Amino acid sequence: MLDLSQEMEALVTAQTVDCSGFERNSCVAHRRSRLKRMALLADQGQAAGFGIWRGALLAAHCGLMRSAAQPRAIGRFQHLETDPGWRRQGLCTSLVDAVTRWGFQNWHLERIVLCADPNDVAIGIYQGRGYRRIGRTGALMRRATRDRLAAT
């Protein structure tokens, strides 16, 4: 398990390898802010971060969240990602297996859910581990002007 407060910069670096379409400084600031919130939730027992290190590099990582209102009911995967240099080596598959076991054993969850882009490789990793699609959701995002300019 990752110490989200202590390993914040490694996580920020890992999550900002690809900021394509976004202004880099804004992307880094957004990820850092999001990870700080996750670290606070981890301190409260509502989140946990997991990773696989290869030397000094955080090669793969993901988070697991749970509801404060129903802490034993449902967990949710958060941001499964592998460093580009370590992809297609089974790291995320191993991570999903380990985090799933950890959530059921340590938080006594009834189920774990996720939201993933149906066109992204992560959905295939989850489905390969036995997770199945039960619904669809949608979202809209409005980019900041500086991000639209960075994308052009």
Side-chain angles (χ1 to χ4, degrees), residues 61-120:
H61 62 90
C62 75
L64 184 64
M65 313 289 281
R66 68 176 171 171
S67 166
Q70 297 178 308
R72 290 183 171 226
I74 299 174
R76 182 183 186 278
F77 275 103
Q78 187 76 29
H79 206 86
L80 177 67
E81 190 170 23
T82 306
D83 181 90
W86 287 93
R87 291 186 179 150
R88 314 246 357 119
Q89 297 185 38
L91 296 182
C92 278
T93 298
S94 296
L95 200 53
V96 167
D97 287 345
V99 172
T100 298
R101 272 192 312 277
W102 188 93
F104 288 128
Q105 291 172 358
N106 293 282
W107 282 351
H108 309 287
L109 297 172
E110 294 174 12
R111 85 177 100 171
I112 299 176
V113 299
L114 58 117
C115 290
D117 181 339
N119 300 315
D120 190 60

Side-chain angles (χ1 to χ4, degrees), residues 132-144:
R132 59 186 170 83
R133 193 175 299 188
I134 60 169
R136 296 181 73 118
T137 186
L140 296 174
M141 178 178 71
R142 185 173 150 194
R143 290 184 182 259

